[in-house]
Every structure is written in structure tokens, then in C-alpha cells.
Amino acid sequence: KAGVTQTPRYLIKTRGQQVTLSCSPISGHRSVSWYQQTPGQGLQFLFEYFSETQRNKGNFPGRFSGRQFSNSRSEMNVSTLELGDSALYLCASSFLGVASYEQYFGPGTRLTVT
Amino acid sequence: QQQVKQSPQSLIVQKGGISIINCAYENTAFDYFPWYQQFPGKGPALLIAIRPDVSEKKEGRFTISFNKSAKQFSLHIMDSQPGDSATYFCAAWRGKLIFGQGTELSVKP
């Protein structure tokens, strides 16, 4: 079974631009979550989508948004990029249910903002 | 607002030794306490998890000890191997994962 895939793997953007990251979950997984990983703040939850609806949201500004499509694939968008947005963005998928703590992470998209 | 605190930040252990990583949490409403392992260039991968009504869970060389009254839990890696060298994250789950800051483990041959 193929794992979680994320595209692109690396991205360089300039301050003020916007960016869209893509995530394809494991086949059969309906929940997709996004996390930001930085050396200073560690791993922080951004949001979770299930059946095209945002079920949970972390403490990030409105510049961070996401969506999920009917095939469970998800995208996240960051508008008006800031230098502090440079991070590894991780997507994770899981089955809906009791064991949802069991998240399967992709390799991440490394975003650099200059 | 850091709800899960992890220590130490880094750890060096000799091959065959025991690696111990500790975590403490603040919110009592968490449902599960998983541990994730991350290798460079990879996303985190679930290692082992425990429910708050269980005091210990063992899977192979990995054991979680859980102290509900102290709001603390720890990961023990027995017979540590160089292949265990990675970053370990404790986490707490209630609808979303709240991660600790991570521990970089290095196992020396």
C-alpha cells in the first residue's frame, strides 16, 4: 500500500507570495491533518479535514487555510508569506475512529521563504 | 501554550544501554499518549501508544510507563542499537496530536 505522498518536496518562495501544498493520503484513509515543523516551535497542528470539512483547527493565523477534495486528497495554502513561515509542512492521514491517534505522515514539503 | 513537555532535548547512549525519555502533560482530558520516531528526511512514524487507564505497555524493546497521578509518561528503549538513532516525540491525543519538543537520540556503537 502506497504511503502518504506530498508535493512538491521542496519549495522556495519570496515574502508576500502565496503557496499551495498538496497531500495524497493512504488509500482508504479519510482524515487528513497538517502539521508545521520548525526547530524552534517543534511540531504544531494546523488543521484536520474529514469528508471535505474542517473538523479541527490549531492556533495559526487565517493566512493558513486548507481544503479536502472528494477523493480525500488535501491542499493547504499559505497567503502573504512571511519569513517565519519557513518550515517543514507535514501531512498525515488516518482512519476515522478510535485509533485516530495513529497518524501516517508523509515526508513533508520543505518551504523556504526568502 | 505548551501542553506537553519533553526531556531531555538530546541523549547519547552506548549500544546495548537503556534510553529513557520523559514527558509531562497538563491537560487531563487526553485520550491516548503515543510516541513517534522520526529519521532525517522522513515524517514521524508511530512507535507505540498507551491509554491513560494503563500503567505500562511493552512492544519488543520499547516500553511506555504511565503515571496518571503525576501526569507523566516515559519511553524506555532497552538494548539500544545504532539504528535507534533518531528524534523521538511524545504526544497527547484528543482530536489532534499535541507533540513534545522532541529528543534527539544518538546510540554509539
Side-chain angles (χ1 to χ4, degrees):
Chain A
K1 198 180 236 186
V4 176
T5 58
Q6 293 187 244
T7 56
R9 291 293 310 278
Y10 303 91
L11 206 49
I12 300 176
K13 289 287 188 178
T14 304
R15 267 184 308 175
Q17 288 185 315
Q18 75 163 13
V19 67
T20 299
L21 312 180
S22 182
C23 170
S24 292
I26 291 173
S27 177
H29 286 194
R30 299 170 64 191
S31 170
V32 174
S33 298
W34 288 88
Y35 295 84
Q36 181 196 65
Q37 185 172 24
T38 60
Q41 298 298 314
L43 277 156
Q44 292 187 289
F45 173 78
L46 279 155
F47 30 65
E48 184 222 352
Y49 286 86
F50 175 76
S51 290
E52 303 176 62
T53 301
Q54 188 181 88
R55 289 201 304 181
N56 217 334
K57 189 177 187 301
N59 298 321
F60 279 82
R63 299 185 298 107
F64 292 82
S65 62
R67 61 176 175 169
Q68 186 181 33
F69 303 95
S70 58
N71 62 358
S72 294
R73 191 177 69 85
S74 177
E75 289 181 346
M76 69 163 280
N77 183 275
V78 188
S79 62
T80 321
L81 284 165
E82 301 177 359
L83 294 178
D85 296 333
S86 294
L88 180 68
Y89 289 89
L90 292 158
C91 168
S93 72
S94 66
F95 286 109
L96 172 66
V98 174
S100 295
Y101 65 85
E102 187 171 354
Q103 308 235 320
Y104 294 81
F105 284 81
T109 294
R110 173 73 63 185
L111 172 65
T112 302
V113 182
T114 62
Chain B
Q1 181 187 353
Q2 187 180 1
Q3 297 185 47
V4 180
K5 296 183 180 179
Q6 183 173 346
S7 63
Q9 193 171 353
S10 63
L11 183 61
I12 299 175
V13 174
Q14 292 296 316
K15 178 182 175 182
I18 303 174
S19 303
I20 302 174
I21 304 171
N22 300 299
C23 284
Y25 64 97
E26 299 170 2
N27 188 332
T28 57
F30 293 119
D31 298 314
Y32 284 92
F33 296 88
W35 286 85
Y36 280 79
Q37 178 189 56
Q38 185 177 28
F39 291 103
K42 305 285 187 182
L46 179 66
L47 196 59
I48 186 173
I50 197 168
R51 294 193 330 244
D53 57 347
V54 176
S55 61
E56 184 175 282
K57 184 173 181 180
K58 183 176 181 179
E59 287 185 2
R61 297 184 294 110
F62 301 91
T63 300
I64 301 178
S65 297
F66 189 85
N67 186 330
K68 190 173 183 177
S69 60
K71 298 184 186 176
Q72 295 175 345
F73 58 110
S74 60
L75 176 69
H76 295 231
I77 306 174
M78 312 300 287
D79 187 25
S80 298
Q81 299 296 313
D84 296 330
S85 298
T87 301
Y88 292 80
F89 294 92
C90 63
W93 164 267
R94 185 172 176 85
K96 61 184 178 183
L97 284 169
I98 307 296
F99 285 96
Q101 285 296 95
T103 295
E104 193 171 337
L105 172 65
S106 178
V107 181
K108 300 298 185 184

